[in-house]
Amino acid sequence: MSLTPSVSSSVDLRRIIDPDTYFDNNLPPTNLQWAHDEVARFVKSQAPDQRIVLVTSGGTTVPLENNTVRFVDNFSAGTRGSSSAEQFLALGYAVIFLHREQSLQPFNRHYSHSTQGMLSYLQRATDGSLRIKPEWEDKMGRDLDAYQKYTAQDKLLMVSFTTLSDYLFLLREVSLLVAGLGPQVMFYLAAAVSDFFIPSHSMSEHKIQSAEGDLTLRMNQVPKFLGPLVKNWAPLCFIVSFKLETDPQLLGSKARHALKKYGHQVVIANMLNTRKWQVWLFTREEIEPATIQIDQSDLAAGHDIEQDLVKELARRHQKYIKEAQVSHA
Ligand code: 9Z3
């Protein structure tokens, strides 16, 4: 399969990939109404000064056929998002976890995708009952307690997406529902979102046939949704986006460019191969980025970089809330 991404220059297509018209030309996900109702309920159930974070996590798919057999996927296991959600909860945030279906989820992530499978954590006791293996009891117990506590307190809401289109519809919906709470809401946009897609009307209706020979794909550029998000959907909220690169020469300039273009609060820059132990935090105010880094030995011992990253962001978010209160007074 050869991938030849290119931006269409046709007037009609440009109209369709405009952020404002995207939603008129693509179908919403089947869980949109459910998500709307659940997020509205979740937000209403929180205390008035509750800090809320929308964490996006996992990769989006881009279908190649309307009756989809094949799709292009974006790299992301959901480690960053799910680990960060745990840290936000520990710091007292209420978390809306907008994640790719079947990707890693807070607390469950430690077991659900184990290479040996779920059953490797269990054993049968002499009385015939099923037990957790003794070496896992403490850790699993702590994760279970935390998961049940936050769920019972209504502090964790899970919403899932699969395709790019699902993601964009859900992102807009959730943004509009939380925007009214203003500065106390943080957006933590860690999902790996495709830059290219095939508009519904350009897609093959049915499975692409191999009898027709090699496949060349022409994909359109996805409209930049960070613009409307920052300007129109949630202009008062604290917005953190992520920049992923594989070429170190590009990372800093791309992060700065995003800040300048969209005018939001923070860009977290990371490299594919070192993302688990090193990230850079860019803001418009600081000339040099802050480096957040852990030892690889700490990572192996179970210390996630997200502990340090989320702590630092929560600190900056608190400052942002205070400044907004002062300027409002
Ligand atoms: C990230 O950069 C995340 O940190 C990772 C996390 C996807 C690398 P994992 O889930 O990986 O822990 O395996 N996310 C944002 C990537 C992205 O799509 N950014 C876009 C861009 O760079 C839009 S803001 O242009």
Side-chain angles (χ1 to χ4, degrees):
M1 186 184 288
S2 91
L3 273 174
T4 320
S6 62
V7 184
S8 167
S9 58
S10 118
V11 171
D12 184 38
L13 285 184
R14 245 190 268 138
R15 213 184 90 77
I16 284 174
I17 62 175
D18 183 279
D20 295 335
T21 54
Y22 177 90
F23 296 105
D24 299 334
N25 292 289
N26 289 277
L27 282 179
T30 51
N31 66 344
L32 187 67
Q33 186 60 51
W34 175 88
H36 173 98
D37 296 347
E38 270 302 292
V39 172
R41 183 202 58 73
F42 183 78
V43 168
K44 219 169 144 201
S45 79
Q46 307 301 327
D49 59 349
Q50 173 68 52
R51 282 166 304 153
I52 296 178
V53 62
L54 169 67
V55 174
T56 72
S57 182
T60 60
T61 67
V62 168
L64 304 189
E65 300 125 338
N66 276 319
N67 288 286
T68 308
V69 175
R70 305 185 186 91
F71 53 84
V72 177
D73 209 344
N74 246 68
F75 161 84
S76 167
T79 313
R80 176 84 80 220
S82 55
S83 173
S84 301
E86 291 175 16
Q87 309 310 327
F88 279 117
L89 287 164
L91 293 176
Y93 278 79
V95 176
I96 301 170
F97 189 64
L98 179 57
H99 66 286
R100 164 77 177 275
E101 197 167 71
Q102 308 288 1
S103 67
L104 294 174
Q105 298 185 10
F107 308 109
N108 277 299
R109 72 186 170 108
H110 305 283
Y111 317 98
S112 58
H113 292 53
S114 146
T115 44
Q116 293 132 358
M118 260 309 281
L119 295 179
S120 64
Y121 298 103
L122 302 174
Q123 66 182 25
R124 203 171 278 286
T126 42
D127 65 0
S129 62
L130 271 188
R131 296 277 166 79
I132 296 176
K133 283 185 183 163
E135 64 269 34
W136 286 104
E137 247 173 52
D138 278 356
K139 175 157 174 48
M140 237 187 201
R142 280 196 305 275
D143 287 327
L144 176 70
D145 293 345
Y147 178 69
Q148 291 190 334
K149 178 179 91 176
Y150 295 125
T151 310
Q153 291 174 347
D154 208 8
K155 288 284 179 280
L156 175 61
L157 177 66
M158 316 284 280
V159 181
S160 68
F161 63 83
T162 301
T163 65
L164 169 78
S165 181
D166 297 348
Y167 172 81
L168 293 175
F169 270 97
L170 288 163
L171 177 66
R172 182 180 66 159
E173 199 69 25
V174 178
S175 303
L176 295 173
L177 283 165
V178 298
L181 297 170
Q184 76 201 57
V185 179
M186 186 194 299
F187 283 67
Y188 183 87
L189 304 171
V193 183
S194 178
D195 280 328
F196 305 104
F197 82 124
I198 307 177
S200 188
H201 72 271
S202 311
M203 240 188 275
S204 166
E205 187 57 24
H206 292 289
K207 184 184 164 210
I208 299 165
Q209 294 300 315
S210 60
E212 287 159 26
D214 290 352
L215 175 65
T216 303
L217 286 179
R218 182 182 178 84
M219 301 179 90
N220 288 74
Q221 204 176 358
V222 172
K224 301 293 183 193
F225 280 89
L226 206 45
L229 172 63
V230 175
K231 262 207 203 93
N232 308 326
W233 301 347
L236 300 176
C237 300
F238 185 83
I239 296 174
V240 180
S241 73
F242 281 73
K243 179 60 67 187
L244 174 66
E245 291 298 339
T246 56
D247 179 352
Q249 304 297 327
L250 293 179
L251 191 61
S253 60
K254 297 281 288 278
R256 284 197 184 90
H257 177 75
L259 276 176
K260 198 167 165 210
K261 184 163 176 196
Y262 303 115
H264 57 304
Q265 282 66 44
V266 180
V267 173
I268 303 297
N270 55 175
M271 296 291 298
L272 183 66
N273 293 332
T274 59
R275 70 191 189 284
K276 288 185 193 246
W277 57 88
Q278 193 172 36
V279 301
W280 294 269
L281 190 157
F282 287 82
T283 64
R284 277 175 292 152
E285 295 77 28
E286 289 150 296
I287 296 163
E288 289 302 321
T291 306
I292 296 175
Q293 192 166 349
I294 59 166
D295 284 344
Q296 289 184 49
S297 55
D298 289 345
L299 178 66
H303 179 111
D304 293 347
I305 192 171
E306 287 77 15
Q307 286 176 30
D308 308 61
L309 172 60
V310 168
K311 210 160 126 199
E312 178 58 20
L313 288 171
R315 189 184 69 76
R316 288 169 183 253
H317 184 206
Q318 195 57 41
K319 194 164 159 250
Y320 179 82
I321 295 171
K322 283 236 172 71
E323 283 166 6
Q325 283 165 346
V326 170
S327 68
H328 198 71

